[in-house]
């Protein structure tokens, strides 16, 4: 008895009850479809969150002075020697080809005052040309430009919420007070750009000035708080981090990936992933029980048939294989339809996106990173591979018991009730 | 006839106990997942409202019109704000009300400085409205007594940034309402940790009197009155009541959904997520019921033919099958209760402990604790159980009608199936 023949018989057996087979396959395909769509949407959402977080904060990989995380302030500054070393590492081939760009920054806190109001701000000293392609703020300019051409008054870029709070607009003058050593430094600036990220913490508290200006005001030429590094692919963060850390050796700096620099975001994504696994698992178990039910019923109502086969000398292994083939064909049929439909939906959502606002959802934020209501599906080969293995595993589990039952049918069953 | 049909349906269900139990288990697993998700979401949103709102905001806030969102120190509540807060406490539905003064300043110690929001509070009123004082991890809450002047509470993150601890003194520099530069020395009476970056890193509390002096305001001036409502969920209604009953000119009364739209958004998001879950579980359960009942009906077509031949009305055959479907749904819910009860008990009483994995994170500006606990969502549970029975009955209609249409004449021909 060849495998082909077994499959043919199994296929024919399946269609002895077309309605039942179709319904079961349909339920299973709905389960698989949901799996694919949910994986795509949740990965897509996470991907977007990572991208926003990375662009808003300190890049895929960040080099910062040791201890900067425990004590924020102007005292923890990267030495000029370390900054030079970082620049050299970034130019090395194995790193350079994975890096899209890097941005040196100096961070201090200050008090920003307009004619109407005053508020505390986080001041980022940045080099505009280095930020433009990678970080979020230049991308979200709604008026003016990102630290555009220098006028006589040094430029500052503020968030929309901050601008409203201080009642300032493009061209308005503001005073930035910062501590420099034991003294308070006041600096007159002109608003050159306004950004709106939609994140109230950012739009209301972050301002950007030119790195060289800031270093000059604080009388700390060359001082940096960190160097943000943006990569071609987010997956390269860990290998690149390791290379940079090795190359920098014993210098008093720490090299972190975004997972370490934004631990809350990383943890949220992991927890959300775990929740999705449970959800997908439960849905698949539900539909697999449907397959089990169908195959088991098919086996139990055919006791006489299996008894006859046994009496005719068909080996129990082959009976078991035949039933297994029925179950697997059913799984493949349902799984195939679900996979095809799921991938189709995934491609649609990858292009057009799913607007959760239509379902009554609204924008929310995690760890300070806003999650857009429009989600674009994202799937990668590894995810699909593992889901297929999982589905196949469930299919095998579902037919195990019915196949054993069928194989154990005694030949006497054939004559029972005659 | 009715009780008899139900008894027959119940008995029919157990003619194939294995099939019944497998189907019931599939539906039960889905229902348990649904109940579990409802419980966790209910716990999460309840906690978000409780913590996100009660921590600092208060359920309802009163400001001068136009104070929000600029929060300019010049826009104080007109007239005697402290007196208004006292009057508010007599309004039914209000548990407590606390006046506050808010400003902004540069806080510095030695060569370290940071910008911070300054909040002036009346300590005993504040603790009756908000809960942030429970998160003081070192030192103590401010006191009302006059000798406690010149003390502040700061967040843990800010303390770390400045490199200060309990008892350290710090200088607060601010722009006062009269245009002058206000500055004074304060000593740290306590340090708090709420888990919120912005709060722990950028908030300084002092007594109302101290901040009024620093900002050159009068002793009855305040920018904000925070109100604790007896029923947090009815805050919006309370705001309307306050607005109409106070008759205080030039003020604005806002409830928490307006003050913290992110939290309201979170609640909306969790609702829409649950809705998707409902749809999925119910559709899958309906398919399971349909499949099972089709099997049950088609293998017994002859039996239904006999019943019809014996004079049972088609209507009653339909009811018989529907009774079987209803019994199946009830058995499913029974299995769900059996699996679900211990699971729900565990998630509500103990929760998922993620402390070894995370210190918690913020969602829409609210700190989520690293122990995820569920809450009892009785109404939602009942509603989804009823919906499940409804979906099952609808799914069972086709098999039921099919069973009632058996032509007794074909009974003997062996053509059935």
């Amino acid at each position: 008895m060849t495998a082909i023949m077994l499959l043919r018989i199994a296929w024919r057996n399946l269609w002895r009850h077309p309605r039942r087979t179709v319904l079961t396959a349909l339920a299973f395909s709905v389960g698989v479809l949901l799996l694919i769509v949910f994986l795509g949407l949740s990965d897509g959402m996470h991907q977007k969150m990572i991208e926003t977080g990375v662009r808003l904060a300190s890049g895929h990989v960040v080099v910062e002075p040791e201890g900067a995380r425990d004590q924020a302030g102007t005292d923890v500054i990267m030495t000029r020697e370390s900054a030079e070393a970082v620049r050299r590492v970034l130019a090395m081939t194995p790193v350079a080809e994975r890096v899209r760009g890097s941005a040196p920054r100096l961070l201090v806190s200050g008090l920003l005052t307009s004619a109407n109001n005053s508020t505390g701000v986080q001041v980022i000293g940045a080099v505009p040309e280095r930020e433009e392609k990678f970080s979020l703020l230049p991308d979200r300019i709604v008026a003016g430009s990102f630290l555009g051409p220098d006028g006589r008054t040094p430029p500052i870029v503020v968030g929309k919420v901050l601008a409203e709070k201080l009642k300032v607009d493009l061209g308005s003058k503001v005073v930035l007070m910062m501590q420099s050593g034991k003294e308070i430094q006041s600096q007159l600036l002109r608003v050159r750009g306004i950004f709106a990220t939609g994140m109230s913490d950012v739009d209301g508290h972050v301002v950007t000035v030119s790195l060289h200006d800031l270093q000059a005001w604080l009388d700390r030429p060359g001082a940096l708080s960190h160097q943000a590094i943006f990569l071609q692919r987010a997956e390269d963060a860990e290998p690149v981090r390791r290379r940079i850390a090795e190359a920098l050796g014993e210098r008093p700096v720490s090299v972190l990936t975004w997972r370490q620099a934004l631990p809350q975001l990383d943890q949220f994504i992991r927890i959300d992933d775990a929740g999705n696994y449970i959800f997908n698992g439960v849905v698949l178990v539900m539909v697999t029980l449907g397959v089990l039910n169908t195959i088991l019923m098919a086996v139990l109502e055919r006791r006489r048939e299996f008894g006859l086969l046994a009496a005719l000398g068909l080996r129990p292994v082959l009976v078991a294989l035949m039933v297994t083939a029925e179950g697997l064909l059913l799984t493949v049929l349902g799984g195939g339809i679900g996979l095809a439909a799921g991938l189709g939906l995934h491609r649609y959502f990858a292009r057009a996106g799913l607007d959760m606002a239509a379902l009554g959802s609204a924008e929310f934020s995690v760890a300070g990173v806003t999650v857009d209501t429009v989600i674009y599906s994202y799937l990668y080969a590894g995810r699909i591979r593992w889901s297929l293995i999982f589905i196949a595993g469930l299919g095998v589990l579902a037919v195990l018991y019915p196949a054993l039952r069928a194989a154990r049918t005694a030949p006497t069953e054939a004559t029972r009730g005659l | 006839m009715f009780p008899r049909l139900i008894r027959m349906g119940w008995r029919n269900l157990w003619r194939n106990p294995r099939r019944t139990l497998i189907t019931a288990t599939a539906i039960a697993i889905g229902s348990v997942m649904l109940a579990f998700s409802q419980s966790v979401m209910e716990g999460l949103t309840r906690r978000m409202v409780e913590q996100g709102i009660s921590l600092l905001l208060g359920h309802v806030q009163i400001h001068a019109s136009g104070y929000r969102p600029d929060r300019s120190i010049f826009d104080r509540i007109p007239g005697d704000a402290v007196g208004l807060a006292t009057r508010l406490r007599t309004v039914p539905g209000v548990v407590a009300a606390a006046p506050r003064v808010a400003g902004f300043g540069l806080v510095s110690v030695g060569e370290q400085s940071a910008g911070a929001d300054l909040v002036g509070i009346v300590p005993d009123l504040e603790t009756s409205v908000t809960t942030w004082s429970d998160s003081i991890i070192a030192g103590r809450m401010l006191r009302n007594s006059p000798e406690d002047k010149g003390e502040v509470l700061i967040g843990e993150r800010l303390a770390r940034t400045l490199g200060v601890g309990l008892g350290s003194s710090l200088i607060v520099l601010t722009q006062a309402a009269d245009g002058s530069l206000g500055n004074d020395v304060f000593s740290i009476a306590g340090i708090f940790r709420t888990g919120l970056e912005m709060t722990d890193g950028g908030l300084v509390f002092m007594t109302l009197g101290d901040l009024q002096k620093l900002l050159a305001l009068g002793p009855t001036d305040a920018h904000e009155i925070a109100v604790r409502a007896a029923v947090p969920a009815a805050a919006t209604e309370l705001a309307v009541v306050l607005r109409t009953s106070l008759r205080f000119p030039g003020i604005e009364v806002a409830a928490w959904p307006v003050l913290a739209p992110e939290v309201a958004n979170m609640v909306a998001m969790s609702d829409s997520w649950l809705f998707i879950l409902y749809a999925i579980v119910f559709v899958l359960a309906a398919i399971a019921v349909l499949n099972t009942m089709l099997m049950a009906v088609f293998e017994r077509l002859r039996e239904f033919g006999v019943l019809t031949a014996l004079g049972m009305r088609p209507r009653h055959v339909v009811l018989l099958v529907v009774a079987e479907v209803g019994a199946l749904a009830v058995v499913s819910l029974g299995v769900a209760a059996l699996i679900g009860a211990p699971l729900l008990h565990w998630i509500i009483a103990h929760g998922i402990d993620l402390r070894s994995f995370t210190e918690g994170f913020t969602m829409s500006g609210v700190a989520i604790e690293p122990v995820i606990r569920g809450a009892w969502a009785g109404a939602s549970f009942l509603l989804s159980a009823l919906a499940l029975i409804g979906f099952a009955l609808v799914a069972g209609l086709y098999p039921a009608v099919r069973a009632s249409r058996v032509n007794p004449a074909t009974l003997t021909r062996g053509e059935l199936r």
Side-chain angles (χ1 to χ4, degrees), chain A residues 48-66:
Chain A
K48 187 79 177 284
M49 288 169 72
I50 294 169
E51 196 199 307
T52 310
V54 158
R55 294 182 64 196
L56 187 67
S58 47
H60 294 103
V61 178
V62 60
V63 185
E64 57 181 34
E66 236 162 34

Side-chain angles (χ1 to χ4, degrees), chain A residues 102-365:
Chain A
S102 69
R105 294 173 188 157
L106 177 60
L107 312 176
V108 294
S109 58
L111 183 67
L112 192 67
T113 312
S114 71
N116 295 297
N117 209 342
S118 70
T119 186
V121 287
Q122 160 92 58
V123 186
I124 303 179
V127 183
E129 312 87 72
R130 303 283 285 275
E131 303 280 346
E132 251 148 25
K133 266 169 279 170
F134 317 112
S135 59
L136 197 66
L137 299 188
D139 233 23
R140 301 288 164 91
I141 293 284
V142 290
S145 64
F146 190 73
L147 296 176
D150 269 339
R152 232 178 310 147
T153 323
I156 183 169
V157 177
V158 302
K160 197 159 182 280
V161 176
L162 190 67
E164 277 161 14
K165 185 171 174 184
L166 296 181
K167 298 201 173 71
V168 294
D169 213 328
L170 284 186
S172 302
K173 284 183 181 171
V174 288
V175 173
L176 178 62
M177 286 199 271
M178 291 161 297
Q179 193 169 20
S180 160
K182 287 210 179 296
E183 286 157 36
I184 299 282
Q185 266 287 338
S186 287
Q187 196 65 45
L188 184 70
L189 303 165
R190 205 181 279 281
V191 177
R192 289 283 179 204
I194 296 174
F195 60 81
T197 62
M199 286 164 253
S200 55
D201 283 358
V202 175
D203 294 349
H205 286 95
V206 174
V207 301
T208 307
V209 296
S210 148
L211 176 64
H212 297 287
D213 287 351
L214 186 61
Q215 287 167 339
W217 302 330
L218 297 175
D219 198 17
R220 306 187 85 150
L224 292 184
S225 299
H226 70 237
Q227 181 105 18
I229 300 166
F230 300 89
L231 305 180
Q232 306 280 7
R233 300 188 316 145
E235 294 91 80
D236 286 340
E238 182 51 33
V240 168
R241 183 202 73 80
R242 215 175 311 131
R243 276 205 175 268
I244 296 177
E246 276 163 17
L248 288 177
E250 298 290 293
R251 291 187 180 80
V253 292
S254 16
V255 188
L256 309 173
T257 66
W258 68 268
R259 283 184 192 277
Q260 295 144 345
L262 302 167
Q264 288 201 354
L265 189 63
D266 181 41
Q267 288 155 2
F268 170 81
I269 289 176
R270 283 170 199 260
I271 291 170
D272 197 43
D273 262 342
N276 285 336
Y277 283 138
I278 295 174
F279 166 75
N280 285 323
V282 167
V283 166
L284 282 178
V285 165
M286 259 183 102
V287 296
T288 306
L289 282 173
V291 173
L292 169 67
N293 221 354
T294 302
I295 299 294
L296 190 61
M297 289 312 114
V299 165
L300 293 180
E301 72 191 11
R302 270 151 56 199
R303 241 187 250 151
R304 183 170 307 181
E305 180 186 321
F306 292 126
L308 187 67
L309 287 175
L312 290 175
L314 190 68
R315 277 185 293 143
V317 180
L318 286 176
V319 175
L321 277 179
M322 186 176 82
V323 173
T324 308
E326 277 177 44
L328 288 186
L329 278 176
L330 188 58
T331 317
V332 168
L333 186 69
I337 295 171
L339 194 67
L343 287 178
L345 262 180
H346 152 70
R347 285 184 60 172
Y348 173 73
F349 286 141
R351 203 168 17 110
L354 172 68
D355 193 356
M356 292 291 285
L359 294 162
S361 186
E363 222 174 53
F364 69 105
S365 75

Side-chain angles (χ1 to χ4, degrees), chain A residues 377-401:
Chain A
S377 186
Y378 172 86
L379 278 175
Y380 55 95
R383 270 274 200 255
I384 300 179
R385 194 162 53 232
W386 278 109
S387 340
L388 288 184
I389 291 174
F390 185 66
I391 293 165
L394 279 177
V396 170
L397 271 182
V399 289
L400 224 54
Y401 174 66

